[in-house]
Amino acid sequence: MNAVPNANLFSKLQEIMPTLSKGHKKIAEYIMTTYDKAAFMTASKLGAIVGVSESTVVRFATELGFEGYPELQRALKEYTSNRLTTVQRIDVMHDQIGGNDVYEKILNMDIDKIRKTLEEGDREEFYRTVDTLCGAKNIYVIGARSAAVLARFLSFYFTMMFDNVKLVHTTSTSEMFEQILNIGENDIMIGISFPRYSRHTVQAFRYASAQGAKVIAITDSKASPLAAYADNILLARSDMVSFADSLVAPMSVINALIVAVGLRKSDYVIKNYERLEAIYDEYEVYERSDDDDSDKGDA
């Protein structure tokens, strides 16, 4: 049996409910009624809550077509992440962190996200994306809400590497479409979105794809609504922990993308930064160190 697609997970559970054993039925009922909590439980904890063994929970996952419980939990998280309200996220945060050392817990969780992103990343897809970018006529970068920080960071560095980079603002739908109106063939749109996915970003992707532009998604899953329109997909873990989105893994992927493109276009990048350094000095863009000031005074 193949694993159940996330969108059909609950309909599958309803369908097979009458055929389940007593223990498996308890698990299914709990997941269907308390999915926002079940998605973040270990197999042991889920079993303890519904009154079955950990091995029963694992067998339940394989009966659904998953390789094991971690795959079922991942599917539940993907299903859950775009449906939780901020208040529900806060409840999950309390369950996950509780009385633990927040500093250590969050940093370790972020380290784990980067490690899993590295392990699961498709290197061939990454370098295909770099190839696509290096042949672009115009590059449009879009990211809404918390992803706007990532979009701004990416566009800041890409401006040093390409002649025509446009950071798309998403304050309103009309403003967004005014900025991407003329996107077309030989152009690229890079969209960044993580649960809860931005409707503006999805709309921009749909439009860009329809106009013949290449579309690159930086998101968390192939089940993301961005993936349906993307020519290239770069995945990064952004498992929801609290009401604040974790962006460390997406930022690492974006950093890698910037460096890879920079190496491909090194001559162009070096010339740009040489010119910029001269401008920085002439207009005193940066604060000088004490050593610089003392040298100037001795001259």
Side-chain angles (χ1 to χ4, degrees):
M1 185 190 299
N2 293 324
V4 182
N6 300 343
N8 299 325
L9 179 59
F10 280 56
S11 59
K12 178 66 176 178
L13 287 173
Q14 289 176 330
E15 177 188 332
I16 67 172
M17 186 71 79
T19 67
L20 294 177
S21 65
K22 184 178 179 181
H24 285 184
K25 189 172 292 187
K26 286 182 178 180
I27 300 168
E29 288 172 346
Y30 185 83
I31 287 174
M32 291 177 70
T33 57
T34 326
Y35 65 85
D36 57 319
K37 296 186 182 299
F40 301 93
M41 292 179 180
T42 62
S44 175
K45 185 173 182 180
L46 177 56
I49 285 178
V50 301
V52 301
S53 67
E54 180 178 352
S55 59
T56 300
V57 176
V58 174
R59 285 195 297 272
F60 172 78
T62 57
E63 185 169 328
L64 276 177
F66 296 96
E67 291 183 7
Y69 181 74
E71 288 72 25
L72 170 58
Q73 187 181 41
R74 177 80 185 271
L76 274 171
K77 284 182 178 180
E78 289 175 356
Y79 178 88
T80 301
S81 58
N82 203 39
R83 291 168 171 79
L84 293 186
T85 65
T86 303
V87 173
Q88 287 174 313
R89 285 178 170 224
I90 293 172
D91 287 340
V92 171
M93 176 186 68
H94 284 299
D95 289 342
Q96 291 284 290
I97 298 173
N100 293 322
D101 181 348
V102 174
Y103 180 80
E104 180 178 350
K105 182 77 172 179
I106 294 299
L107 264 62
N108 278 322
M109 288 177 125
D110 281 344
I111 289 168
D112 187 56
K113 289 180 183 67
I114 294 176
R115 180 182 58 80
K116 287 180 178 176
T117 296
L118 178 61
E119 290 172 354
E120 299 166 0
D122 186 336
R123 284 159 178 75
E124 291 183 3
E125 179 74 349
F126 176 83
Y127 288 109
R128 280 195 296 268
T129 302
V130 173
D131 291 338
T132 300
L133 283 165
C134 288
K137 179 181 176 183
N138 299 297
I139 297 177
Y140 297 77
V141 183
I142 184 169
R145 302 184 66 79
S146 61
V149 176
L150 299 174
R152 187 174 179 83
F153 182 84
L154 179 60
S155 63
F156 173 81
Y157 283 100
F158 269 14
T159 299
M160 300 297 112
M161 303 179 193
F162 298 96
D163 291 330
N164 208 344
V165 177
K166 304 169 192 267
L167 177 62
V168 180
H169 300 284
T170 58
T171 307
S172 68
T173 304
S174 58
E175 179 189 28
M176 179 186 75
F177 280 111
E178 287 160 6
Q179 294 170 82
I180 65 174
L181 178 64
N182 295 318
I183 194 170
E185 293 182 10
N186 301 320
D187 294 336
I188 290 174
M189 175 173 284
I190 305 174
I192 308 167
S193 191
F194 294 86
R196 303 156 77 181
Y197 304 106
S198 162
R199 181 168 294 180
H200 276 152
T201 306
V202 176
Q203 289 172 334
F205 258 41
R206 185 185 301 124
Y207 177 79
S209 178
Q211 301 309 304
K214 292 286 186 183
V215 181
I216 297 170
I218 300 176
T219 189
D220 66 317
S221 166
K222 289 185 179 179
S224 162
L226 271 65
Y229 306 100
D231 298 288
N232 299 99
I233 305 173
L234 299 181
L235 299 180
R237 283 294 190 102
S238 183
D239 298 341
M240 185 274 299
V241 177
S242 71
F243 57 90
D245 297 323
S246 174
L247 300 176
V248 292
M251 180 63 86
S252 290
V253 170
I254 287 169
N255 246 340
L257 194 61
I258 290 168
V259 172
V261 172
L263 289 171
R264 292 280 186 91
K265 297 173 66 70
S266 59
D267 290 343
Y268 182 88
V269 173
I270 289 169
K271 286 178 182 177
N272 269 353
Y273 274 104
E274 284 175 344
R275 292 172 60 203
L276 275 172
E277 287 298 334
I279 292 169
Y280 295 158
D281 287 342
E282 181 178 353
Y283 292 94
E284 299 182 346
V285 172
Y286 293 111
E287 193 69 31
R288 290 182 179 275
S289 67
D290 292 339
D291 290 341
D292 291 338
D293 289 339
S294 61
D295 290 344
K296 182 182 284 188
D298 292 340

